[in-house]
Amino acid sequence: MLASSAVLRRQHFLIRSLGSYNNQNHTQRIREIKTVSGSSTMEADAENILRRITPILDPNRHKGQAGKVAVVGGCREYTGAPYFAAISALKLGADLSHVFCTKNAATVIKSYSPELIVHPVLEESFSVRDDEKEAVSTKVLADVAMWMERFDCLVVGPGLGRDPFLLECVGDIVKLARRSNVPIVIDGDGLFLVTNNIDLISGYHLAVLTPNVNEYKRLVQKMLGSEVNDQDASQQLLALARSIGGVTILRKGKSDMISDGNSVHTVSIFGSPRRCGGQGDILSGSAAVFLSWALQSSTAPGNSATSLSNPMVLGCIAASALLRKAASVAFENKKRATLTSDIIEHLGQSLDDICPAC
Amino acid sequence: MLASSAVLRRQHFLIRSLGSYNNQNHTQRIREIKTVSGSSTMEADAENILRRITPILDPNRHKGQAGKVAVVGGCREYTGAPYFAAISALKLGADLSHVFCTKNAATVIKSYSPELIVHPVLEESFSVRDDEKEAVSTKVLADVAMWMERFDCLVVGPGLGRDPFLLECVGDIVKLARRSNVPIVIDGDGLFLVTNNIDLISGYHLAVLTPNVNEYKRLVQKMLGSEVNDQDASQQLLALARSIGGVTILRKGKSDMISDGNSVHTVSIFGSPRRCGGQGDILSGSAAVFLSWALQSSTAPGNSATSLSNPMVLGCIAASALLRKAASVAFENKKRATLTSDIIEHLGQSLDDICPAC
């Protein structure tokens, strides 16, 4: 059950943090949009953003204050993806990282790491009779609802699979997160879900979509009724973000492009030429942490600089830049043998190089 | 279900790549065969081949383009073998590596590494009633079929076991791969299956068999009706490859010998005196990656050098040489304690020593 006082507190916090962005100097935003209209996107000053939003490690803080994230994903076939997303969040500095997955995935994900809190609550069609579905669906939602208010961000999609019943339940979880004003990062099969049910996130300013080449193509076809236009990529991304009511989109590619419908930023710093599966999961887990920090920092007293930008966009820029930096260090060491786990091992040092913990 | 356009695209690609080999200068091939007839096999220029077929790491490429392989293997008894084959593929530079195994093997294989995608789809006799077998068999094939078109190569056999019902299903998977023109590397119990059902792969030019001493003996007895003749080993290997309609055979031994019925090559560079179990699995997983790369490179514009040899043979030579190099480095470090996992840890560096990633 939702604690109404907690809901109110969160709403109050988010209204303040997004409000400070929305009320920013109008001329500044017009300038950004004009730059985009001239097809010249801005390379984000990612290192500066990382330094601005990453919180100081204050010994007076207690467990949870550096971030509590949850990943919704992990099914019969996929267990690596939710693990990568959840452990990346911890390795960046979050305090608690949860995974909500199916029963058979849970045992495996738990075995990857004792650091994660893994909830075996999701169900796939093959394990549920038709006449049980309504009751199971209600139970799944209740199992997640009792935790929802504790999370600073939800990551929906890593290793989710495409089972129709499971996706239906996850749709309900997305609605619940939205009602609770919990920010949501959507990746992988979560994008398959929302592309086919765009109302789930349309107009939700606390949603971030992180599509790869194919996922972006499907979004553009569905929302703009056209094909991907790489000649005018920034305009198309801007239009796409606007068509989904101002959600933030991180379009992954050789350069990552980020837009919330108001501005377009690119992150082009060199990462790694390896394209092994799992790097997108690092990105979604990292974005969850960074956007939570950006939301926090945007409401910190006297932090006017950060309030000039949408915390969702700042979180995406930070995540993109840090993944690239960690990937480049991992590749320097392991070359072609670089795997996603190797990149994760370099997240902490890469962040510390930019903003030392002490 | 197979996407017919994907099947056609693959057919077109493979016809081109094998065509460029089959149309090579006839005199050159006659010369190779004559050399063999004189009982003098050629030591392959393995390092040069490795450099020729290993693709450049291009940041413009996206996930999957450096290779997607799948291992069919893993049952109640064996879980290490399919893991070794699948992880070796990733460590060499493939982007995605899948395993199709039984349910009880899947949990364990997943737990070895979050980098693999493990499908718990195979069934053994003890878990299926006689009256269910037809339906289960159909379901197994359907579960694999929905993925088949995505793979650049299938490895059949590591840790497969000898359960009759399971092998029957795997026979259907081999037929499906063949209809879909997906190259197949066959090792371990996969060789037990095809030796007893030679029509499964006879005449399939995209098949590679990697027999050890005993598996080779059974193949020779079955196909040539004779015992292994080490005095004229190359002639016998040539005859064996021809008798199976031009499949490529990698005969493992002190020196590895490779033939597609047209030529015989040896790889004799020093590896390791350790004979711990699992090294054959590294070989099969590596061969899958290298032959995929060789097929790709044989169709690359202007790559006339590579088109002078059968991509299957080039892939085997590369895999054999690289395993030996990695094994020798591992043995140098670990001596008698060298295990298969130690060798796998040296695959990346060994490849990079020959063809640097950047």
Side-chain angles (χ1 to χ4, degrees):
Chain A
M1 294 301 295
L2 302 181
S4 60
S5 63
V7 172
L8 286 173
R9 274 201 308 279
R10 182 183 292 274
Q11 276 179 340
H12 200 69
F13 166 73
L14 292 169
I15 287 164
R16 269 186 296 138
S17 56
L18 282 179
S20 61
Y21 161 67
N22 288 326
N23 294 332
Q24 72 176 256
N25 185 300
H26 192 64
T27 320
Q28 162 75 10
R29 287 177 64 190
I30 293 289
R31 199 181 312 130
E32 288 180 359
I33 294 165
K34 278 191 174 160
T35 313
V36 168
S37 302
S39 285
S40 139
T41 60
M42 289 169 287
E43 177 69 20
D45 182 3
E47 292 209 358
N48 199 24
I49 288 168
L50 276 161
R51 274 188 285 269
R52 277 199 277 155
I53 66 176
T54 301
I56 291 165
L57 276 173
D58 179 351
N60 292 315
R61 301 183 100 190
H62 58 76
K63 185 171 77 176
Q65 288 187 298
K68 304 180 291 294
V69 305
V71 176
V72 181
C75 61
R76 190 173 64 147
E77 282 178 324
Y78 302 114
T79 51
Y83 162 73
F84 289 142
I87 201 75
S88 296
L90 287 181
K91 293 274 184 174
L92 285 180
D95 285 341
L96 292 164
S97 193
H98 294 243
V99 176
F100 292 87
C101 59
T102 64
K103 288 187 182 69
N104 40 22
T107 311
V108 178
I109 298 170
K110 285 167 190 276
S111 79
Y112 291 147
S113 169
E115 317 280 354
L116 305 176
I117 302 163
V118 184
H119 307 259
V121 297
L122 301 182
E123 297 278 1
E124 290 179 83
S125 302
F126 73 87
S127 62
V128 184
R129 289 200 319 266
D130 280 351
D131 61 342
E132 295 174 330
K133 282 187 174 167
E134 199 173 324
V136 170
S137 174
T138 304
K139 186 173 181 326
V140 168
L141 195 64
D143 284 346
V144 180
M146 63 189 291
W147 292 91
M148 188 64 82
E149 279 306 311
R150 309 187 192 193
F151 299 133
D152 297 302
C153 189
L154 214 62
V155 181
V156 174
L160 200 55
R162 294 197 178 179
D163 179 78
F165 177 67
L166 184 144
L167 287 182
E168 202 177 302
C169 293
V170 173
D172 290 341
I173 294 170
V174 170
K175 287 179 197 163
L176 173 68
R178 186 173 180 168
R179 284 199 304 276
S180 312
N181 288 306
V182 173
I184 315 171
V185 177
I186 298 174
D187 190 39
D189 291 321
L191 288 168
F192 174 80
L193 170 67
V194 301
T195 302
N196 295 323
N197 302 273
I198 206 73
D199 286 348
L200 283 173
I201 44 108
S202 186
Y204 187 45
H205 289 258
L206 295 174
V208 167
L209 314 185
T210 56
N212 65 16
V213 175
N214 290 325
E215 291 153 355
Y216 188 73
K217 184 179 169 187
R218 283 194 289 269
L219 266 175
V220 167
Q221 287 170 338
K222 177 72 185 273
M223 296 306 299
L224 304 180
S226 63
E227 293 304 313
V228 173
N229 174 2
D230 281 326
Q231 300 308 306
D232 208 358
S234 61
Q235 275 303 310
Q236 191 173 52
L237 178 59
L238 203 63
L240 181 64
R242 284 177 186 162
S243 75
I244 317 178
V247 301
T248 297
I249 301 173
L250 192 170
R251 180 192 176 184
K252 296 182 281 196
K254 189 182 171 194
S255 292
D256 291 340
M257 296 179 69
I258 296 138
S259 180
D260 60 355
N262 285 316
S263 61
V264 182
H265 300 266
T266 59
V267 179
S268 315
I269 60 168
F270 185 69
S272 152
R274 276 286 277 143
R275 295 287 176 266
C276 49
Q279 295 183 59
D281 308 310
I282 302 180
L283 186 76
S284 61
S286 306
V289 176
F290 284 125
L291 70 81
S292 305
W293 288 351
L295 275 164
Q296 274 191 346
S297 94
S298 68
T299 53
N303 201 345
S304 58
T306 309
S307 68
L308 284 176
S309 299
N310 181 348
M312 301 294 111
V313 172
L314 294 178
C316 287
I317 292 170
S320 166
L322 198 77
L323 169 59
R324 284 164 178 264
K325 186 166 157 55
S328 77
V329 181
F331 183 74
E332 186 67 28
N333 292 328
K334 296 281 189 98
K335 302 291 191 313
R336 287 180 199 276
T338 308
L339 299 185
T340 296
S341 304
D342 301 312
I343 300 172
I344 289 171
E345 283 312 302
H346 289 284
L347 286 174
Q349 187 61 55
S350 299
L351 181 56
D352 206 65
D353 287 347
I354 297 168
C355 31
C358 55
Chain B
M1 295 300 294
L2 301 181
S4 59
S5 63
V7 172
L8 286 172
R9 275 200 308 278
R10 182 183 291 276
Q11 276 179 340
H12 200 71
F13 167 73
L14 292 169
I15 287 164
R16 270 185 297 138
S17 54
L18 282 178
S20 62
Y21 160 67
N22 287 326
N23 295 332
Q24 74 177 253
N25 185 301
H26 191 63
T27 319
Q28 162 76 9
R29 287 175 64 188
I30 294 289
R31 199 181 313 131
E32 288 181 0
I33 295 165
K34 278 191 176 162
T35 313
V36 168
S37 303
S39 284
S40 141
T41 61
M42 289 170 288
E43 177 69 18
D45 182 3
E47 292 208 359
N48 199 23
I49 288 169
L50 276 161
R51 274 188 285 268
R52 275 199 278 155
I53 66 176
T54 301
I56 290 166
L57 275 172
D58 179 354
N60 290 315
R61 301 183 101 190
H62 57 77
K63 186 170 76 177
Q65 289 186 299
K68 305 179 291 292
V69 307
V71 177
V72 180
C75 61
R76 192 169 61 152
E77 283 176 323
Y78 303 114
T79 52
Y83 163 75
F84 288 142
I87 201 77
S88 296
L90 286 181
K91 293 275 186 176
L92 285 179
D95 285 342
L96 293 163
S97 193
H98 295 242
V99 176
F100 292 86
C101 60
T102 65
K103 288 188 183 67
N104 40 20
T107 310
V108 178
I109 298 169
K110 283 167 190 275
S111 77
Y112 291 148
S113 169
E115 315 280 353
L116 305 176
I117 300 166
V118 183
H119 307 260
V121 298
L122 300 181
E123 297 278 0
E124 290 178 83
S125 301
F126 74 85
S127 63
V128 183
R129 289 199 320 265
D130 281 351
D131 63 341
E132 293 173 331
K133 283 187 174 166
E134 198 173 326
V136 170
S137 174
T138 304
K139 186 173 181 324
V140 168
L141 195 64
D143 284 345
V144 180
M146 63 189 289
W147 292 91
M148 187 63 82
E149 279 304 312
R150 309 188 193 194
F151 300 134
D152 297 303
C153 188
L154 213 62
V155 181
V156 175
L160 200 56
R162 294 196 178 179
D163 179 80
F165 176 68
L166 184 143
L167 287 182
E168 200 176 298
C169 292
V170 173
D172 290 340
I173 293 170
V174 170
K175 287 178 197 164
L176 173 69
R178 186 172 179 168
R179 282 200 304 276
S180 311
N181 289 306
V182 173
I184 316 172
V185 176
I186 298 174
D187 189 41
D189 292 320
L191 287 168
F192 174 80
L193 170 68
V194 301
T195 302
N196 295 324
N197 303 273
I198 205 71
D199 286 347
L200 283 173
I201 43 108
S202 184
Y204 187 44
H205 289 257
L206 296 173
V208 168
L209 314 184
T210 56
N212 63 18
V213 174
N214 289 326
E215 291 153 354
Y216 187 73
K217 184 179 171 187
R218 281 194 291 269
L219 265 174
V220 167
Q221 288 170 338
K222 177 71 185 272
M223 297 307 299
L224 304 180
S226 63
E227 293 304 311
V228 172
N229 174 2
D230 280 328
Q231 299 310 305
D232 208 358
S234 60
Q235 276 302 311
Q236 190 173 51
L237 177 60
L238 203 62
L240 181 62
R242 284 176 186 163
S243 76
I244 315 178
V247 301
T248 297
I249 301 173
L250 191 170
R251 180 191 176 186
K252 296 181 283 196
K254 189 181 170 195
S255 291
D256 292 341
M257 296 179 68
I258 296 138
S259 179
D260 59 355
N262 285 316
S263 60
V264 181
H265 300 265
T266 60
V267 178
S268 316
I269 60 169
F270 184 69
S272 153
R274 279 285 280 141
R275 294 288 176 265
C276 51
Q279 295 181 59
D281 307 310
I282 302 179
L283 186 75
S284 61
S286 306
V289 176
F290 284 125
L291 71 79
S292 305
W293 288 350
L295 274 165
Q296 272 192 346
S297 97
S298 67
T299 53
N303 203 345
S304 57
T306 309
S307 68
L308 284 176
S309 300
N310 181 347
M312 302 293 111
V313 171
L314 294 178
C316 288
I317 292 170
S320 167
L322 198 78
L323 169 59
R324 285 164 176 264
K325 185 166 158 54
S328 77
V329 182
F331 183 74
E332 186 67 27
N333 291 328
K334 297 279 189 100
K335 302 293 192 306
R336 287 179 197 277
T338 308
L339 300 184
T340 294
S341 302
D342 301 313
I343 301 172
I344 289 171
E345 281 313 300
H346 289 285
L347 286 174
Q349 188 59 55
S350 299
L351 181 56
D352 205 66
D353 287 347
I354 297 167
C355 33
C358 56

